[in-house]
Amino acid sequence: MTDLFRKIAPVADELGRLFADQGHELALVGGPVRDILLGRVGNDLDLTTDARPERVLELVRDWADSVWTIGIDFGTVGVRKGSWQIEITTYRSESYDPKSRKPEVMYGETLEADLERRDFAVNAMAVRLPGHEFVDPYGGLKDLGGRRLRTPGTPEQSFGDDPLRMLRAARFAAQLGFSVEPAVVEAMTAMAERIEIVSAERIRDELDKLICGVHPREGLRLLVDTGLAAHVLPELPKLRLEIDEHHRHKDVYEHTLTVLDQAIAQEEDGNADRVLRWAALLHDIGKPKTRRHEPGGRVSFHHHEVVGAQLTKKRMTELRFPKDVVADVSRLVELHLRFHGYGSGEWTDSAVRRYVRDAGHLLNRLHKLTRADCTTRNKRKAAALSRTYDQLEQRIARLADEEELAKIRPELDGNEIQRVLGVGPGPIVGKAYKHLLDLRLDKGVIGKEAATEALLDWARDNGVAAS
């Protein structure tokens, strides 16, 4: 640990001496200590101190490059020094009122007491500054070696103090690949309903970190098995549809987890693509509402992509995701079946253009989602689907070279339409623009002269007098 700690010691020790000279304690704590022991060093540091927030501000004001106080009501002062982002939090304990969405913060007096209120033992380790004394009163180092999650005290007390810790257990299972102690799982199951007092924003952040983890399948399984998912992402456990006795349709829940795995396998440069991952997770959530039992024992899910897009938009909006993320994920869910109309390559160039236009900036993600959605165990069928999609991508590439597909628009813009028709801005221009766009998609590039003639023909057919 000494060698790893040297990478951050200069800035941490400098701050530690500053606090010690003024009679205050300071320690590196929580996630950064855990990550150092795992061989991972980032630029974010969490520190804890006996100094109250107002005193922390006095101590760091002249030392830091910048200071922010957005978390000061919860005892946290933010600091930037060079490339380091540092949060300094006063020793504290916190708990929830049964009817409150916000924790009640009470300041503590000792480092050991502060560590006791931490979520898991692997996050309840500290290094005192500037002397580098390692503090581990709850066996976090042993848990780290065993790759397990256990609470410092009883899990019931820990989750009672902050119910969000139940989601953190699933998140750490996804991020670190750790197992969760049976007693912790039992408490999560018994107390799942209590998660409802936590704000949507805090739940969203944990779910987002989970889905972007290295092992999201493990975290999601834990949420479903403990009943937490029923409160924070109810569409997921609903995918565990009853399988008919002849197994004529897939287990949608298991299929979804496999699609997520296969989407992750296509990510580039090892960077998590949150939009692609959320789309993979939610792509079939419309199936429970659209399931129909057909003659002969068949099961259908007609228009589940449309219903799924609506449910996706609703759920992600309720979780307070940014509007652009909501729009992108729900659009991918809506489009994820479009390829299956391609058959054996019967689409016209017009249909290919519309596919590209409808996908827009999401085209590359749609490619990945569509490929990930093939989970058949029939190798011949899987190979055929893959070849067909290869052919579609080749056609898209060819048309893109010929026609700049990504920039498809009518060959006459709004100003030119107004000039040809002799009209000013208004609904007629919008209708004419749509007509020319449909023409562009159907016919490809026909040239401005032909587009002008087509516009005049449309105007005559629709009673628009061109001047």
Side-chain angles (χ1 to χ4, degrees), residues 234-384:
E235 294 80 7
L236 184 58
K238 287 180 181 178
L239 293 177
R240 295 197 293 190
L241 301 175
E242 181 181 347
I243 303 299
D244 66 277
E245 59 191 87
H246 302 293
H247 296 275
R248 286 179 175 151
H249 70 274
K250 298 176 183 176
D251 179 336
V252 183
Y253 172 65
E254 290 296 333
H255 165 75
T256 294
L257 296 181
T258 300
V259 172
L260 176 59
D261 289 340
Q262 294 183 169
I264 291 170
Q266 298 180 71
E267 290 176 342
E268 299 162 8
D269 303 322
N271 295 319
D273 184 337
R274 71 193 299 215
V275 168
L276 176 63
R277 292 190 182 201
W278 275 106
L281 181 66
L282 302 177
H283 78 285
D284 271 349
I285 62 172
K287 280 191 170 180
K289 276 196 170 185
T290 57
R291 182 173 61 159
R292 297 290 182 272
H293 293 281
E294 307 288 356
R298 293 185 304 106
V299 177
S300 67
F301 304 97
H302 294 308
H303 305 301
H304 76 267
E305 74 281 11
V306 177
V307 174
Q310 295 168 349
L311 293 173
T312 295
K313 183 176 182 180
K314 180 176 183 293
R315 175 57 53 201
M316 297 193 79
T317 299
E318 289 178 354
L319 286 170
R320 307 289 195 271
F321 274 92
K323 290 182 179 179
D324 61 328
V325 175
V326 175
D328 285 353
V329 175
S330 57
R331 184 62 167 159
L332 283 172
V333 171
E334 182 182 1
L335 293 174
H336 83 272
L337 283 185
R338 182 74 66 85
F339 159 71
H340 294 284
Y342 189 68
S344 300
E346 296 90 350
W347 279 3
T348 62
D349 283 353
S350 171
V352 175
R353 293 187 195 102
R354 291 179 186 278
Y355 186 78
V356 173
R357 175 175 174 265
D358 289 348
H361 69 283
L362 298 169
L363 181 62
N364 189 44
R365 287 187 175 114
L366 182 58
H367 289 332
K368 294 176 181 178
L369 178 60
T370 301
R371 291 184 181 276
D373 196 24
C374 176
T375 61
T376 179
R377 295 180 182 178
N378 184 319
K379 293 183 179 180
R380 182 178 297 178
K381 183 178 179 181

Side-chain angles (χ1 to χ4, degrees), residues 32 39-40 59 62 84 99 106 118-119 125 127 161 177 181 211 229 246 257 272 280 283 299 311 351 393 429 465-466:
R40 308 185 309 188
L59 292 171
D62 295 331
W84 298 96
K99 297 181 180 180
M106 296 175 289
R118 302 269 165 174
D119 51 8
M125 299 178 285
V127 176
D161 287 344
E181 286 285 282
I211 200 73
H246 302 293
L257 296 181
H283 78 285
V299 177
L311 293 173
E393 287 199 59
V429 178

Side-chain angles (χ1 to χ4, degrees), residues 418-429:
Q418 292 178 54
R419 187 164 57 250
V420 170
L421 298 182
V423 299
I428 290 175
V429 178

Side-chain angles (χ1 to χ4, degrees), residues 150-172:
R150 182 179 52 85
T151 54
T154 68
E156 290 79 8
Q157 179 180 356
S158 181
F159 299 154
D161 287 344
D162 185 353
L164 189 69
R165 291 173 178 174
M166 295 186 286
L167 288 190
R168 285 199 193 120
R171 190 245 291 184
F172 285 129

Side-chain angles (χ1 to χ4, degrees), residues 13 38 41-42 139 159 177 192 279 282 350 374 379 384 436 438 449 457:
D13 284 349
L38 290 172
V41 177
F159 299 154
L282 302 177
S350 171
C374 176
K379 293 183 179 180
L436 290 179
D438 288 339
E449 183 177 344
D457 288 343

